[in-house]
Amino acid sequence: QVQLQQWGAGLLKPPETLSLTCVVHGGSFGGHYWSWIRQPPGKGLEWIGEIHHSGSTNYNPALESRVTISLDTSKNQFSLNLTSLTAADTAVYYCARGIGVVIPRFDSWGQGVLVTVSS
Amino acid sequence: DIQMTQSPSTLSAAVGDRVTITCRASHSISSWLAWYQQKPGKAPKVLIYKASTLETGVPSRFSGSGSGTEFTLTISSLQPDDFAAYYCQQYHSYPLTFGGGTTVEIK
């Protein structure tokens, strides 16, 4: 059974860069989409973007200018960089596995990391 | 972007009640809809995908229906473990989008 474990800095200042990494245990890295999703405190879920095991990416246009998602298949891990942080980026950030033929749904999630942006 | 609108935002119900949550899409998404359950401090967990297919291991009291722009999640007999937030998500087109969520509270 696949498990996703994520880590990264939890307290950042504007306009620093957020960096998070997610490692995949117990499942195949290939053939899937690997996404980042965030949830501001007390609010709903926002998809940030994804990377396919082939290396192709899709990003949410609302965040695209600030987001980079990368992949290290040798370590079964993928990463998120989000630049020019503001307080509005304060959220729990989740990594997730997407499965599907064309566009994925999410079947496994990391535990989440709370990232607080405050000066 | 496809906007997903859930109703109600909060629902008060008792154990044993039948509960229905609605999700509407701003454009047709065929049956490319998933439902997730989220408990406080935890990651979401998928319940249903392709609008009506139950994920393995999910109790049969959960069911989903709909296609096009209107979808429902039904819990046939609410159990204590079901008090949580529920989200719909479309995977018809990018960017992937979620509904605003429905919190099921104890009455």
Side-chain angles (χ1 to χ4, degrees), chain A residues 21-42:
Chain A
T21 299
C22 184
V23 65
V24 180
H25 297 291
S28 170
F29 205 63
H32 298 297
Y33 300 82
W34 303 96
S35 270
W36 290 96
I37 296 153
R38 69 180 183 178
Q39 184 172 36

Side-chain angles (χ1 to χ4, degrees), chain A residues 39 50 94 103-106, chain B residues 36 38 42 49 91-92 94:
Chain A
Q39 184 172 36
E50 69 183 11
Y94 294 101
I103 297 180
R105 57 181 174 87
F106 307 113
Chain B
Y36 301 87
Q38 186 180 33
K42 300 292 187 184
Y49 62 94
Y91 54 108
H92 173 272
Y94 290 106

Side-chain angles (χ1 to χ4, degrees), chain A residues 33 35 37 39 43-47 50 58-61 94 99 102-112, chain B residues 1 32 34 36 38 41-46 49-50 55 87 89-100:
Chain A
Y33 300 82
S35 270
I37 296 153
Q39 184 172 36
K43 296 190 177 179
L45 298 158
E46 179 181 35
W47 177 74
E50 69 183 11
N58 290 295
Y59 297 132
N60 189 327
Y94 294 101
I99 62 172
V102 178
I103 297 180
R105 57 181 174 87
F106 307 113
D107 72 333
S108 299
W109 297 64
Q111 79 277 18
Chain B
D1 299 7
W32 302 114
Y36 301 87
Q38 186 180 33
K42 300 292 187 184
K45 167 191 162 186
V46 63
Y49 62 94
K50 211 169 179 188
E55 179 78 356
Y87 294 90
Q89 178 236 328
Q90 65 84 17
Y91 54 108
H92 173 272
S93 58
Y94 290 106
L96 308 178
T97 49
F98 293 86

Side-chain angles (χ1 to χ4, degrees), chain B residues 1-29:
Chain B
D1 299 7
I2 295 178
Q3 309 301 320
M4 306 299 293
T5 304
Q6 282 183 240
S7 61
S9 56
T10 306
L11 187 161
S12 295
V15 172
D17 283 354
R18 182 182 180 87
V19 165
T20 298
I21 298 167
T22 298
C23 178
R24 289 188 173 88
S26 61
H27 299 85
S28 176
I29 58 169

